[in-house]
Every structure is written in C-alpha cells, then in structure tokens.
Amino acid sequence: MEAASLANGLGEAWRSAAREAPAELFRALADPTRRRLLEHLVSSPSSAGELASRLGLPRVNVSHHLGVLAEAGLIDLRGRRAAVRPDALTRLRRYFDMALTTAAISAPDMSRSVAREAQNPTNQIS
C-alpha cells in the first residue's frame, strides 16, 4: 500500500508541475527547423547568416525562427549572434525528469525497460 500512496502523491505532484509546464518552449520546439537551429546553437553561438549557410536555408527564414526561439526564452539574441539559454533547457529537463520519475514509480514493471532503454538508446537524435 505504501508504494501506491507514493505513486498517488507523485501523480499529484506531476499533474501540478505539468500544469505549469513551459508551454511556450514546447510550441517553439514543435517546428523541426527550430529544433535544428537549437541543436546547432547548443555547440556554439552563431549569426543568422552562419546558420543559414550551414543549414541551406534562406536567411530571412532563419531570422524568423530565431525570433520565435528568443520569444520563447530558449535563446538570447545579442547583436548579430544567437546563443542558447541553459536555464530554458533546465526547465525542459526538469519537466521530463519529473515525468520519467513519476512514470517509473507508477508502473514499476516498466521501469526496467526504461532503464534498459536509457542505457542502450536505439533512437539517436540526428
């Protein structure tokens, strides 16, 4: 009964956290082009022109998508350079950590497969 009580408590905490989820971050990341831009910016700050060249996209499109990422708080635009805001990524990580923890405790038989998947991921980010 103690495990069920813990799972219920975590479920409530998860639902509360999910209501405060960073919806603007998810909306910004829903677009594959913005995810690609963010992936490039994680390794180094870049200008819209540099990103456009690397990704083979029109500069105006890159500038638009950078604006959406900046408005969501995922990146900072300083001068002509865009850089990732680690605090925004931390908010996303916190959301997914809480979801994974709650799911693993709520369905303990599934937690072994989740742990295995974490150790041997088959779907790599490209």
Side-chain angles (χ1 to χ4, degrees), residues 95-119:
Y95 176 87
F96 286 110
D97 283 349
M98 181 74 138
L100 180 59
T101 300
T102 303
I105 290 171
S106 298
D109 55 324
M110 295 293 290
S111 64
R112 285 186 288 278
S113 65
V114 170
R116 245 190 331 273
E117 180 65 26
Q119 291 172 351

Side-chain angles (χ1 to χ4, degrees), residues 4 11 22 26 52 61 86 93 108 111 114 124:
F26 289 120
N61 290 14
R93 180 181 174 191
S111 64
V114 170
Q124 305 237 343

Side-chain angles (χ1 to χ4, degrees), residues 50-63:
E50 292 166 340
L51 290 165
S53 293
R54 267 189 247 150
L55 298 174
L57 297 170
R59 188 173 181 274
V60 68
N61 290 14
V62 170
S63 294

Side-chain angles (χ1 to χ4, degrees), residues 5-72:
S5 175
L6 178 60
N8 285 339
L10 272 173
E12 284 301 316
W14 162 244
R15 283 186 288 282
S16 174
R19 281 191 292 275
E20 297 173 23
E24 69 280 358
L25 301 182
F26 289 120
R27 276 191 291 277
L29 292 174
D31 185 281
T33 300
R34 290 194 282 272
R35 288 193 307 272
R36 285 178 57 206
L37 289 168
L38 187 68
E39 290 161 8
H40 281 273
L41 291 170
V42 164
S43 60
S44 69
S46 302
S47 69
E50 292 166 340
L51 290 165
S53 293
R54 267 189 247 150
L55 298 174
L57 297 170
R59 188 173 181 274
V60 68
N61 290 14
V62 170
S63 294
H64 165 75
H65 288 298
L66 290 176
V68 172
L69 291 170
E71 189 174 311

